[in-house]
Amino acid sequence: MFGIDRARKTAAVVAAAAAAATTALISAPTAVAAPQPIVGGTTTTTTAYPFMMQITDASQNQFCGGTLVSATKVVTAAHCMVGETTSSVRVVGGRTYLSGTNGTVSRVSKIWINPSYTDATNGDDVAVLTLSTSMPYTTAKYVSSSDTSVYAAGTTARILGWGTTSENGSSSNQLRTATVPIVSDSSCKSSYGSDFVQSDMVCAGYTSGGTDTCQGDSGGPLLIGGVLAGITSWGNGCAEAGYPGVYTRLTTFSSLVTAQVNS
Ligand code: ARG
């Protein structure tokens, strides 16, 4: 029930069309109502965040985010890749708008899904894609297994994505970003009980809610000090008070990721 949203992939197609129709409104420079991005943030661009990738279907309809960590490797969420094949997925770089046709589109030659991932727990939610075409964009660094201090409670983290701007809303045509504080493991445990697996997951968000990732942001980055430290994974609704967003705790998986990046 704390849903990784499986209907999302089809919903994305509809949302992308709706978002395209409202581009002018969303990109108007003066229109900045408070809670929005992702949920509650600001618009940004892939020029500002060149490693931010759209994960799309073969028709280039975005359904998840991903982070470019080398010219041909993208880190995303395992739950984004369940049921996908190398022919069903594309990765699009350098494209700020869902409605855009610019940037670089690559096919995927390999999908590695963490073999421990299971949708029963949403734990171990990491996947690495190998691209057929090199992306000419600046890559992101990612945490090493010893960097566990990055998750100190209260640390500011940045989230990015094209996901819905409210819990049951539609996707954002333009890339959005927001910052959220890392939540202590004990506090996240009180929100989610045993669904929160401390070794695999880290939480971020304000106690009062209001700012969060949401459906369609999955697979995208949680950056701490500009370094990839988490992957958007799940939550109870979006931006609800008392229910922070849950991210893959990447330090736990960085050696596995490195093995894929170097393979
Ligand atoms: N599972 C969602 C996706 O597939 C991401 C949900 C994040 N939820 C949250 N409240 N932070 O796009």
Side-chain angles (χ1 to χ4, degrees):
M1 65 161 162
F2 291 142
I4 284 182
D5 180 356
R6 259 155 249 292
R8 166 75 206 160
K9 287 173 189 173
T10 36
V13 180
V14 178
T22 54
T23 307
L25 283 174
I26 292 169
S27 57
T30 50
V32 184
Q36 275 224 353
I38 264 180
V39 181
T42 57
T43 54
T44 188
T45 65
T46 56
T47 307
Y49 298 99
F51 45 77
M52 183 70 208
M53 300 284 120
Q54 295 184 18
I55 312 285
T56 78
D57 65 15
S59 307
Q60 295 177 35
N61 293 302
Q62 183 267 355
F63 61 87
C64 272
T67 305
L68 189 72
V69 297
S70 87
T72 58
K73 301 286 178 175
V74 171
V75 172
T76 187
H79 83 262
C80 289
M81 289 300 125
V82 169
E84 301 294 343
T85 65
T86 51
S87 50
S88 68
V89 171
R90 302 289 183 273
V91 175
V92 182
R95 186 179 291 176
T96 296
Y97 293 91
L98 294 182
S99 61
T101 54
N102 61 327
T104 305
V105 181
S106 177
R107 298 182 72 106
V108 168
S109 59
K110 181 182 177 189
I111 300 175
W112 174 84
I113 298 178
N114 185 337
S116 305
Y117 171 74
T118 147
D119 61 10
T121 61
N122 300 326
D124 306 275
D125 196 8
V126 56
V128 178
L129 311 182
T130 302
L131 307 181
S132 309
T133 304
S134 290
M135 288 284 172
Y137 306 112
T138 304
T139 57
K141 294 192 168 68
Y142 59 94
V143 286
S144 68
S145 46
S146 58
D147 289 339
T148 51
S149 66
V150 297
Y151 305 119
T155 301
T156 297
R158 178 168 297 281
I159 50 179
L160 286 157
W162 288 270
T164 60
T165 56
S166 62
E167 194 168 313
N168 295 302
S170 44
S171 291
S172 176
N173 187 36
Q174 184 169 357
L175 179 62
R176 284 188 165 265
T177 188
T179 57
V180 280
I182 298 293
V183 168
S184 72
D185 294 329
S186 56
S187 169
C188 199
K189 191 120 218 153
S190 23
S191 297
Y192 289 116
S194 58
D195 289 344
F196 172 68
V197 181
Q198 191 175 321
S199 56
D200 287 8
M201 305 172 187
V202 61
C203 299
Y206 295 97
T207 311
S208 54
T211 305
D212 197 5
T213 45
C214 204
Q215 308 316 321
D217 290 321
S218 276
L222 176 90
L223 303 169
I224 300 177
V227 174
L228 182 65
I231 302 165
T232 301
S233 183
W234 62 277
N236 179 37
C238 302
E240 291 187 8
Y243 291 101
V246 187
Y247 299 83
T248 309
R249 196 176 194 106
L250 196 56
T251 51
T252 301
F253 306 102
S254 43
S255 333
L256 281 172
V257 168
T258 296
Q260 294 307 314
V261 169
N262 295 334
S263 75

